Amino acid sequence: MAEAPIFAIKNVSIAFGDKKLFSQIEVNINKGDKICLIGRNGSGKSTLLKIIAGVIEPDEGELFVQPGTKVAYMPQEPDLSKFGSLKEAIVAVLPNEDLNNDYKADIWLDKLNIDGNIDPQKASGGECRKAALAQALINEPDILLLDEPTNHLDIKTIEILEEIIQDFRGAVVVISHDRMFLSHVSKVMFWLDRGNMHSVKRGFADFENWQEEIITQEINEQNRLAKKISEETEWLHKGVTARRRRNMGRLRRLIELRKERREQIKQIGNINLNIDEGDFRSKLVIEAKHIFKNFGERAIIKDFSTRIIRGNKIGIVGPNGAGKTTLVKLLTKRLEPDSGFVRIGKNLEEAYFDQNRITLDPKKTLWQTLCDKGDHIMVQGHWRHVVAYLKDFLFKPSQANCPVAALSGGEKNRLMLAKTLAQPSNFLVLDEPTNDLDMDTLDLLQEVLDEYGGTILIVSHDRDFLDRVVSSVIYMKGDGTIFENAGSYSELLNKISEKNDEKTIAKNLSKTNDVTVKNKQMQKLSYNQERLLKILPDEIAQLEQEINDLIAELSDPNLYQTNPARFDEASTALAEKQNSKNTKEEQWLEIELIKEQLS
């Protein structure tokens, strides 16, 4: 007999003005569920979390909560400004009878590494978010609701949060753009899509497969009922299948970039930095030689040297306060080192994205924000119609003349990215570009950066994003020491864990992907892996052609009426071939990752 849910939503609908977010949705939360809530920006994820938290009421529908169930909610933008200190903010949520038990606050201050004496108005975004997490956790709720909890957190804190959620006895519902975080913490998926709710007892790591199953099922159902496939469904289907193809191409290019960067780092390690190396020098973007930087008695950077060459895509990671932004300022000559020197190549055109520095005029329309005069904008040397360019960033044509004030937080970030990436540049500096972006926008950003022909510096705490984008990672330990690894973030973790003198860091940065762990002892690819690497691309291409043929056949609205047996046969074949293609693509990607790590 199935266990009764501790929280249930039945036939709930809500709209804001003329915009209906979702209609007649049903949700069950069971004891101990670890749920990720997925959906595009503006689909109503945060609104649904607020309904569960009791912050707002739905327009219609029923809510059921088992008596005695405690619900705690951490909003996307926690406001702690009315409190005198972060500890005071945490203690304030304790029930009146527990106010003398502020030792509970001390436990969370220690666990999340929070300085409780800091004034919230002077605290960083990461410090405020950690305090808000402590607020949500301190009363040991039965249901924990987290809206973008990883924003502004460093990687070490994100991994601590993963452990907290995994060990948490209650149910958790989390909204996040961080794919790796969701893959580590979720066992149930809720997908809010075009006003409808889908759910499945599978973790986020299987989202793309599940998404494609649902879309294919929807297309087949529309065909069976002789309906025209809606543009939205067709767009989604094309987006999911095209993304898989692009991911394969992107990985091939990344592998080549990482090989190039590995060779460059070897050369940098073997040469006298005073020597002019011809071609190496002609492609130079940034050269740093033995730079040091202290703030008071604290060493931020100790004896760091590097050369960044045209086309490098470099991530910068490290705990909050390690000096990542300081390093960027030094490398871009916004700040001078205490000793050593930084040299910048000629003809460098920089575009800088910093969410805290870019401002948007709320009274301007999206069109005016990108294009003050006329209707075309120059993007990377090509003229683009402003509406077409907005569509690239997932805005509808009808939004072009809407005011910026009407946009959600994620949509504003998307517009800021569009504005930054439209600037003439051959050097991009991106400081935390992924905050508040939904997964469709993250995919779009990855594609833009993949196609960008210039050089990129990225400061980010999004591990999956770094794995997909960068050719190397600069790791700042936090004590002034810095080193660079040519490869993915996951490979960096593996190298850190292998260093005997880095045991403490290895413990905190222990999560590596399964491929790395499983193949750590391998010396070369097996004969069968080599063979699959050669034949799988042709087999995948053949399956793609067969899938396209079946989709074209099923798109005939008369097929089901004239030949229902063939319709069922083609539908079954389509599902089988799509599953086969997915399996072969994942197999190819895994072997390519192994090959890259072995090299």
Side-chain angles (χ1 to χ4, degrees), residues 428-444:
L428 272 179
V429 180
L430 304 174
D431 195 350
E432 286 295 348
T434 63
N435 282 348
D436 298 321
L437 297 184
D438 61 18
M439 287 170 193
D440 285 334
T441 311
L442 277 172
D443 284 329
L444 165 73

Side-chain angles (χ1 to χ4, degrees), residues 307 370 596:
R307 277 195 176 129
L370 295 177
E596 182 188 356

Side-chain angles (χ1 to χ4, degrees), residues 292-310:
F292 288 75
K293 188 66 183 178
N294 286 14
F295 287 146
E297 296 182 357
R298 186 187 166 205
I300 303 296
I301 294 165
K302 294 191 292 192
D303 196 14
F304 178 60
S305 298
T306 190
R307 277 195 176 129
I308 297 172
I309 308 303
R310 191 168 64 237

Side-chain angles (χ1 to χ4, degrees), residues 509-527:
L509 301 172
S510 60
K511 290 189 173 62
T512 59
N513 60 44
D514 292 339
V515 173
T516 302
V517 173
K518 186 168 62 179
N519 297 286
K520 191 174 174 182
Q521 304 301 324
M522 292 179 60
Q523 299 300 314
K524 64 178 183 178
L525 293 179
S526 67
Y527 169 78

Side-chain angles (χ1 to χ4, degrees), residues 66-347:
Q66 275 196 13
T69 299
K70 290 189 291 185
V71 180
Y73 167 59
M74 192 198 87
Q76 190 173 144
E77 297 295 339
D79 181 9
L80 309 180
S81 59
K82 64 182 179 181
F83 301 105
S85 69
L86 293 181
K87 181 174 180 178
E88 183 184 319
I90 298 167
V91 171
V93 301
L94 287 168
N96 289 333
E97 62 269 22
D98 281 357
L99 288 179
N100 292 325
N101 296 331
D102 62 354
Y103 69 88
K104 293 181 179 180
D106 293 330
I107 292 172
W108 285 108
L109 288 169
D110 180 64
K111 196 173 187 74
L112 292 170
N113 192 27
I114 304 168
D115 182 348
N117 297 316
I118 295 177
D119 181 342
Q121 304 218 43
K122 297 178 181 177
S124 68
E127 288 165 331
C128 286
R129 193 158 294 264
K130 287 193 289 185
L133 277 168
Q135 281 185 325
L137 289 158
I138 194 170
N139 288 314
E140 300 176 7
D142 302 292
I143 301 175
L144 178 64
L145 308 174
L146 302 175
D147 195 347
E148 294 288 1
T150 64
N151 276 2
H152 307 295
L153 297 186
D154 60 26
I155 292 170
K156 179 180 176 181
T157 308
I158 291 171
E159 290 177 344
I160 291 171
L161 178 58
E162 288 175 356
E163 292 174 5
I164 290 169
I165 292 175
Q166 288 162 357
D167 296 339
F168 186 69
R169 293 183 180 180
V172 178
V173 185
V174 61
I175 299 170
S176 179
H177 66 271
D178 187 324
R179 283 181 167 93
M180 195 174 289
F181 172 74
L182 292 181
S183 296
H184 288 160
V185 302
S186 67
K187 294 181 180 177
V188 179
M189 286 185 280
F190 289 172
W191 181 26
L192 196 52
D193 174 44
R194 292 164 289 158
N196 300 312
M197 177 64 80
H198 307 280
S199 62
V200 68
K201 289 191 174 181
R202 284 148 71 176
F204 178 78
D206 205 30
F207 173 63
E208 285 194 356
N209 289 333
W210 178 54
Q211 181 188 40
E212 191 162 10
E213 288 168 15
I214 290 173
I215 296 167
T216 300
Q217 183 180 3
E218 187 175 331
I219 288 172
N220 290 343
E221 181 65 17
Q222 289 175 338
N223 280 320
R224 189 179 70 79
L225 298 174
K227 289 182 179 178
K228 180 182 181 294
I229 299 174
S230 72
E231 288 182 7
E232 187 78 357
T233 305
E234 194 168 9
W235 179 83
L236 268 173
H237 184 262
K238 288 178 179 176
V240 171
T241 54
R243 184 184 306 147
R244 290 183 180 275
R245 255 190 326 268
R246 289 194 298 267
N247 283 348
M248 292 177 69
R250 185 187 302 142
L251 180 61
R252 290 190 193 101
R253 286 188 289 274
L254 258 184
I255 288 168
E256 290 303 315
L257 284 172
R258 286 170 181 167
K259 285 178 181 176
E260 286 178 18
R261 186 59 183 164
R262 200 169 290 123
E263 289 304 311
Q264 290 166 5
I265 291 173
K266 285 180 185 176
Q267 291 179 58
I268 293 165
N270 292 330
I271 58 178
N272 183 331
L273 289 176
N274 290 316
I275 298 172
D276 187 357
E277 292 86 24
D279 185 55
F280 204 37
R281 179 77 64 182
S282 68
K283 296 179 181 178
L284 188 69
V285 175
I286 294 171
E287 179 181 40
K289 181 180 177 183
H290 301 304
I291 59 173
F292 288 75
K293 188 66 183 178
N294 286 14
F295 287 146
E297 296 182 357
R298 186 187 166 205
I300 303 296
I301 294 165
K302 294 191 292 192
D303 196 14
F304 178 60
S305 298
T306 190
R307 277 195 176 129
I308 297 172
I309 308 303
R310 191 168 64 237
N312 289 162
K313 297 175 181 178
I314 296 175
I316 301 176
V317 301
N320 282 342
K324 299 185 293 294
T325 301
T326 299
L327 179 59
V328 170
K329 288 180 178 178
L330 288 167
L331 294 177
T332 56
K333 291 190 75 69
R334 287 176 170 79
L335 190 65
E336 289 297 320
D338 296 338
S339 60
F341 74 85
V342 174
R343 180 162 37 214
I344 291 181
K346 296 178 180 178
N347 303 318

Side-chain angles (χ1 to χ4, degrees), residues 12-109:
V12 161
S13 303
I14 194 166
F16 293 117
D18 295 334
K19 184 180 180 182
K20 179 161 278 192
L21 285 181
F22 41 81
S23 177
Q24 303 290 303
I25 67 167
E26 297 194 5
V27 164
N28 289 329
I29 300 174
N30 296 303
K31 186 177 180 180
D33 275 349
K34 301 295 187 290
I35 301 164
C36 62
L37 178 54
I38 309 156
R40 284 191 236 166
N41 281 346
S43 62
K45 301 188 299 298
S46 293
T47 299
L48 179 58
L49 226 56
K50 289 174 183 176
I51 289 173
I52 299 172
V55 175
I56 60 175
E57 293 185 0
D59 296 335
E60 56 184 52
E62 302 173 17
L63 305 180
F64 166 78
V65 189
Q66 275 196 13
T69 299
K70 290 189 291 185
V71 180
Y73 167 59
M74 192 198 87
Q76 190 173 144
E77 297 295 339
D79 181 9
L80 309 180
S81 59
K82 64 182 179 181
F83 301 105
S85 69
L86 293 181
K87 181 174 180 178
E88 183 184 319
I90 298 167
V91 171
V93 301
L94 287 168
N96 289 333
E97 62 269 22
D98 281 357
L99 288 179
N100 292 325
N101 296 331
D102 62 354
Y103 69 88
K104 293 181 179 180
D106 293 330
I107 292 172
W108 285 108
L109 288 169

